[in-house]
């Protein structure tokens, strides 16, 4: 009685037509030898810039979207006295863990989109938060907006918050295991490289500090 067909996957593409702006010769097949054109800046204001490049080499009914979100709080704290942003190792660790928690929380929710050929990655980098979505064009915009809306929802009122103990606890355990085992399975040259980077880096406080910060992590902070 429990055996049944899966529910309809609305992200499976039905429209596989190519972009109407492609030249006719591009629609006949891939043009591997063609040089790649640079992207065009099509919109800019105080909030950001939007770039676009038409893929006229491979000419597939696919697209990719990359969104860079900059926020100084990812790695810094604001000093009211000096009115400047200063690097804060705790903020950097917490923001990295938050992105890991978010990815884990949405793994099951985005399973059907992966089956439909849509993939996504949302990571913290030195430049900021980068969301990358790629796959068949028909539902790509809807999919990217879905990821962004889930990330920016108020966690105190949303029906399915991702900042819960269910997802935070496994991520905390994973990070702690990784940092605590850092020196247990490393070669001598890795030790040398680590301490060299540690001495030369002006902002890094070392693995021991990272472990201390992670151990003190809770949903409140």
């Amino acid at each position: 009685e429990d055996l049944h067909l899966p529910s309809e996957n609305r992200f499976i593409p039905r429209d596989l037509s190519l972009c109407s702006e492609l030249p006719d010769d591009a629609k006949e097949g891939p043009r591997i030898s063609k040089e790649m054109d640079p992207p065009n800046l099509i919109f800019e204001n105080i909030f950001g810039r939007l770039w676009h490049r038409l893929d006229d080499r491979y000419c597939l009914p696919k697209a990719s979207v990359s969104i860079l979100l900059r926020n100084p709080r990812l790695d810094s704290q604001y000093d009211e006295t000096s009115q400047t942003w200063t690097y804060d190792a705790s903020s950097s660790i917490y923001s990295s863990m938050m992105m890991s928690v978010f990815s884990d929380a949405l793994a099951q929710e985005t399973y059907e989109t992966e089956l439909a050929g849509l993939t996504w990655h949302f990571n913290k980098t030195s430049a900021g938060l980068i969301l990358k979505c790629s796959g068949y064009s028909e539902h790509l915009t809807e999919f990217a907006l879905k990821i962004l809306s889930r990330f920016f929802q108020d966690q105190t009122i949303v029906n399915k918050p991702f900042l819960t103990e269910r997802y935070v606890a496994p991520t905390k355990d994973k990070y702690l295991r990784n940092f605590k085992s850092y020196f247990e399975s490393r070669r001598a040259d890795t030790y040398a490289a680590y301490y060299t980077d540690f001495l030369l880096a002006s902002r890094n406080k070392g693995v021991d500090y990272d472990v201390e910060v992670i151990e003190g992590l809770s949903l409140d902070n």
Side-chain angles (χ1 to χ4, degrees):
E1 296 180 358
D2 295 332
L3 183 63
H4 59 83
L5 292 174
S7 57
E8 180 183 2
N9 188 341
R10 62 188 182 88
F11 287 99
I12 294 178
R14 270 72 176 179
D15 182 8
L16 299 179
S17 59
L18 297 176
C19 179
S20 59
E21 299 179 10
L22 285 171
D24 293 336
D25 58 335
K27 298 179 182 180
E28 296 178 358
R31 302 185 297 175
I32 308 300
S33 59
K34 183 186 181 299
E35 294 185 1
M36 294 182 62
D37 298 323
N40 298 312
L41 180 61
I42 60 176
F43 183 80
E44 181 177 13
N45 62 14
I46 60 174
F47 298 107
R49 293 189 291 262
L50 179 62
W51 299 83
H52 174 264
R53 185 178 70 82
L54 181 65
D55 178 19
D56 56 357
R57 294 182 71 192
Y58 298 98
C59 307
L60 299 174
K62 293 185 176 183
S64 62
V65 175
S66 296
I67 302 175
L68 171 61
L69 304 171
R70 299 183 185 274
N71 189 326
R73 291 190 181 276
L74 293 173
D75 292 305
S76 308
Q77 286 191 354
Y78 188 72
D79 188 347
E80 294 289 350
T81 304
S82 62
Q83 295 186 347
T84 57
W85 290 95
T86 57
Y87 176 78
D88 179 65
S90 299
S91 299
S92 180
I93 296 172
Y94 287 160
S95 57
S96 295
M97 296 181 66
M98 179 182 66
M99 301 313 299
S100 181
V101 168
F102 181 73
S103 297
D104 290 345
L106 263 67
Q108 183 175 355
E109 188 174 331
T110 58
Y111 175 70
E112 66 173 7
T113 61
E114 183 179 351
L115 294 179
L118 294 173
T119 60
W120 70 286
H121 301 280
F122 204 0
N123 301 310
K124 173 182 173 290
T125 70
S126 58
L129 301 180
I130 297 182
L131 171 64
K132 292 185 178 181
C133 299
S134 60
Y136 290 100
S137 308
E138 183 179 5
H139 300 295
L140 185 63
T141 303
E142 176 189 358
F143 178 55
L145 290 175
K146 176 182 178 181
I147 299 296
L148 284 176
S149 63
R150 288 284 283 109
F151 182 72
F152 285 110
Q153 284 177 329
D154 188 340
Q155 296 296 292
T156 61
I157 61 176
V158 68
N159 291 331
K160 294 182 179 180
F162 67 89
L163 285 179
T164 63
E165 194 66 27
R166 174 185 177 184
Y167 300 114
V168 172
T171 300
K172 179 178 179 180
D173 179 70
K174 178 176 65 177
Y175 269 68
L176 279 175
R177 289 176 181 273
N178 180 56
F179 280 108
K180 287 183 176 180
S181 64
Y182 189 85
F183 293 113
E184 296 178 1
S185 58
R186 305 285 177 171
R187 304 192 310 265
D189 58 331
T190 306
Y191 287 108
Y194 166 77
Y195 283 112
T196 300
D197 294 339
F198 178 69
L199 291 173
L200 296 177
S202 60
R203 305 192 301 180
N204 189 6
K205 294 188 177 182
V207 172
D208 293 335
Y209 177 81
D210 294 340
V211 170
E212 181 180 344
V213 169
I214 296 171
E215 287 179 336
L217 174 69
S218 67
L219 289 175
D220 295 331
N221 58 13

